[in-house]
């Protein structure tokens, strides 16, 4: 009988299969792209099942408050801390913790925060990139501070650093 992989070995296999999840969803209200929970689970789920990895929320700490929007609408605001237990095919496990927050106008704030927490945990635990240009590929060089007599020629100029 072949020896089964440890949880670390199985996670490494999952990481090898899940190479990237692009930010294909768009938040229309705040105008930003993001990786939704469904896109992340669609990318990760098959690899987790293939390698016998199971992830379960083990402990959830919920802090709920009520708020009001600028328009006077009541909101439920939730901050959670979740500990996830990751089991390998051999039955051994490791855990990881993540925090998340969400707001809702009805009864979905906790469910939204749990989705954010799980997506964040998967992205971080499996080191899943976006496969998009690195936002740090450009940096800025500072000029000489004013009043020191130096040239301000390079002040605030973007410099591209291509690998």
């Amino acid at each position: 009988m072949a020896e089964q992989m440890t949880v670390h070995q199985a996670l490494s296999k999952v990481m090898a299969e899940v190479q990237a999840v692009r930010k294909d969803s768009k938040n229309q209200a705040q105008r930003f792209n993001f990786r939704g929970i469904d896109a992340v689970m669609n990318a990760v789920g098959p690899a987790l099942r293939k390698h016998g990895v199971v992830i379960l929320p083990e402990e959830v700490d919920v802090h709920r408050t009520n708020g009001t929007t600028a328009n006077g609408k009541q909101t439920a605001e939730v901050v959670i801390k979740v500990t996830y237990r990751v089991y390998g095919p051999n039955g051994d496990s490791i855990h990881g913790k993540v925090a998340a927050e969400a707001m809702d106008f009805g009864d979905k704030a906790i469910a939204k925060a749990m989705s954010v927490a799980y997506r964040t945990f998967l992205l971080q635990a499996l080191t899943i990139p976006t496969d998009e240009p690195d936002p740090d590929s450009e940096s800025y060089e500072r000029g000489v501070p004013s009043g020191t007599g130096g040239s301000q020629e390079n002040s605030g100029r973007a410099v591209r650093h291509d690998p």
Side-chain angles (χ1 to χ4, degrees):
M1 182 182 202
E3 187 175 324
Q4 290 191 7
M5 291 183 284
T6 67
V7 66
H8 293 96
Q9 291 167 326
L11 277 177
S12 180
K13 297 275 187 188
V14 171
M15 288 174 72
E17 286 190 30
V18 182
Q19 292 298 306
V21 177
R22 296 186 68 83
K23 293 182 178 183
D24 289 336
S25 297
K26 178 126 180 136
N27 177 308
Q28 298 298 333
Q30 284 87 28
R31 296 187 179 135
F32 64 86
N33 294 336
F34 66 97
R35 298 182 278 187
I37 183 64
D38 290 331
V40 174
M41 289 190 345
N42 287 338
V44 173
L48 291 174
R49 288 186 286 280
K50 178 179 176 181
H51 297 291
V53 177
V54 176
I55 303 172
L56 299 172
E58 186 174 70
E59 183 180 325
V60 181
D61 182 21
V62 179
H63 295 278
R64 182 184 172 120
T65 58
N66 294 318
T68 307
T69 67
N71 297 335
K73 197 167 185 181
Q74 295 296 306
T75 64
E77 299 171 6
V78 173
V79 175
I80 64 172
K81 294 178 186 169
V82 183
T83 300
Y84 289 99
R85 178 71 53 184
V86 181
Y87 294 92
N90 208 18
D92 59 333
S93 67
I94 58 174
H95 73 277
K97 296 180 182 186
V98 67
E101 62 184 329
M103 178 189 76
D104 190 66
F105 299 112
D107 62 350
K108 306 287 187 282
I110 292 175
K112 287 180 177 181
M114 289 295 291
S115 291
V116 171
Y118 192 50
R119 180 187 68 204
T120 301
F121 179 76
L122 291 172
L123 292 172
Q124 291 178 351
L126 299 172
T127 318
I128 301 173
T130 62
D131 194 31
E132 295 170 354
D134 183 355
D136 295 328
S137 65
E138 289 188 15
S139 61
Y140 295 87
E141 291 181 7
R142 292 192 182 270
V144 178
S146 299
T148 61
S151 167
Q152 291 291 313
E153 187 176 318
N154 292 333
S155 181
R157 181 180 63 156
V159 178
R160 186 161 198 81
H161 297 281
D162 294 322

